[in-house]
């Protein structure tokens, strides 16, 4: 990422090739996962096949401004915290909202210019206001094809409470939990403490609608609830409290089949956080900022029947929520070989250390080919209701 100041030279427009598919790579956003989105986008932009695709990078600033970026991402700058963010460069992207129109335009210096037509959008926006169905709804309104799950799957996948309800309705085992609704801790403290005591300790307190392990705390007693809930509330007024499961944390990457073909799962992977690190669990810093603290074992060292069960439950979870394109399903494998779903991530990271592309790489689908397949899956499905 660039270390340049926010005042950048505005990107030059270039006419897309008629022979290549036009792909808008959309990233950034208003959530706390803005920097992760920037890192993800840089990785995808470096891997996308430029002989087949014309790429239009579009960034969403932390304030929600949609800006046109150049191919070198010089408007992605480094903040005082050392993390990248998208600077407002004075452009304003206008999304086509009329049916049958796919022309992307940009306003600069008071003039409207055409950027070209959009064939497909690759939305690499993580967290609320991007991965939660809001962005997917906007793209559906714009009658545009896009990579990844649609409105309902994105919304239900982001909200861990509703995800669990859907999975329970499809006889898929989930981690026991309680939900603390906005304001409920202040109104019903004693009742919530009693429910957590019934769940048992250790327990995990987490934002219901955040990702990248943001805002999560591990607690071992009721007197830690105040601090843990306050930490989770920094990211979401709705909070989930889950019992700590004794088991191995296993992840599995899922790809939609497309054109009537079944969804398919990668080899399962297992994350190990180094005992020499300062990470009590697989938290935000371990995921994205401390690569040496994390090791991926893929295929995970599991009995053959358990491996098959993990892959089956991952696909069933993907299909139960109506996902399309991609998702990563995280499960616990207990000592007796039983599998419990922890959560689903409908727009998993594509950073160099992200598990989703690494698991597909180990399964035989290299990074660049994975990006191409995701774009092709999006192009093959109709826009709007499906």
């Amino acid at each position: 990422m660039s270390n340049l100041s926010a005042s950048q030279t505005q990107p030059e427009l270039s006419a897309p090739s008629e022979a290549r598919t036009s792909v808008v790579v959309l990233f950034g956003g208003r959530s706390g996962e803005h920097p992760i989105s920037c890192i993800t986008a840089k990785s995808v932009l470096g891997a996308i096949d430029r002989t087949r695709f014309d790429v239009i990078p579009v960034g969403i600033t932390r304030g929600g401004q949609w800006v046109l970026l150049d191919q070198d991402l010089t408007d992605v700058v480094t903040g005082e915290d050392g993390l990248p963010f998208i600077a407002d460069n004075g452009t304003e992207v206008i999304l086509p909202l009329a049916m049958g129109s796919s022309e992307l335009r940009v306003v600069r210096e008071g003039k409207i210019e055409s950027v070209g037509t959009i064939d497909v959008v690759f939305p690499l926006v993580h967290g609320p206001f991007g991965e939660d169905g809001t962005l997917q709804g906007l793209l559906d309104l714009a009658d545009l094809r896009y990579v990844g799950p649609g409105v309902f799957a994105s919304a239900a996948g982001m909200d861990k409470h509703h995800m669990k309800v859907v999975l329970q309705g499809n006889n898929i085992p989930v981690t026991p939990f309680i939900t603390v609704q906005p304001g409920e801790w202040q109104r019903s403290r004693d009742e919530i403490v009693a429910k957590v005591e019934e769940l048992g300790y250790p327990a995990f307190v987490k934002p219901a609608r955040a990702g990248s392990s943001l805002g999560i705390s591990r607690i071992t007693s009721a007197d830690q609830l105040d601090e843990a809930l306050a930490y989770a509330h920094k990211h979401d007024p709705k909070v989930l409290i889950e019992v700590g499961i004794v088991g191995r944390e296993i992840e599995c990457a899922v790809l939609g089949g497309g054109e009537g073909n079944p969804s398919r799962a990668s080899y399962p992977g297992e994350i190990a956080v180094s005992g020499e690190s300062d990470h009590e669990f697989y938290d935000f810093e371990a995921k994205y900022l401390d690569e040496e603290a994390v090791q991926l074992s893929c295929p995970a060292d599991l009995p053959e029947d358990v491996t098959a069960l993990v892959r089956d439950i991952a696909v069933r979870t993907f299909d139960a929520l109506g996902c399309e394109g991609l998702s990563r399903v995280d499960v616990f494998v207990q000592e007796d070989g039983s599998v419990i779903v922890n959560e689903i991530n409908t727009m998993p990271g594509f950073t160099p250390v992200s598990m989703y592309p690494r698991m597909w790489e180990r399964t035989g689908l290299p990074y660049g080919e994975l990006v191409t397949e995701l774009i092709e899956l999006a192009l093959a499905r109709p826009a709007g209701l499906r």
Side-chain angles (χ1 to χ4, degrees), residues 53-195:
F53 305 111
D54 282 315
V55 178
I56 305 172
V58 174
I60 304 175
T61 69
R62 285 170 168 164
Q65 181 82 4
W66 289 42
V67 297
L68 181 67
L69 303 174
D70 62 27
Q71 299 289 326
D72 296 328
L73 302 187
T74 55
D75 293 302
V76 178
V77 299
T78 303
E80 293 181 0
D81 57 3
L83 296 174
F85 72 96
I86 298 168
D88 185 350
N89 61 13
T91 64
E92 181 180 357
V93 168
I94 303 174
L95 202 65
L97 292 179
M99 289 184 63
S101 173
S102 59
E103 183 184 17
L104 189 71
R105 296 177 295 167
V106 62
V107 179
R108 68 165 104 217
E109 297 179 352
K111 297 179 180 179
I112 299 177
E113 305 172 47
S114 175
V115 180
T117 58
I118 306 171
D119 291 315
V120 65
V121 178
F122 203 142
L124 298 168
V125 184
H126 305 305
F129 312 110
E131 191 182 344
D132 58 355
T134 52
L135 179 58
Q136 290 72 21
L138 176 61
L139 296 175
D140 280 341
L141 282 172
D143 207 33
L144 294 172
R145 292 175 172 83
Y146 54 90
V147 172
V151 174
F152 175 79
S154 298
M158 174 59 65
D159 189 315
K160 298 174 181 65
H161 165 83
H162 290 293
M163 175 207 73
K164 289 174 183 287
V165 170
V166 172
L167 297 187
Q168 286 173 328
N170 284 271
N171 297 315
I172 298 172
V174 299
T175 311
F177 72 102
I178 66 168
T179 303
V180 182
Q181 299 289 350
E184 190 177 1
W185 177 240
Q186 290 73 25
R187 297 190 307 268
S188 309
R189 180 181 298 252
D190 292 343
E191 289 87 342
I192 292 170
V193 169
K195 289 179 181 179

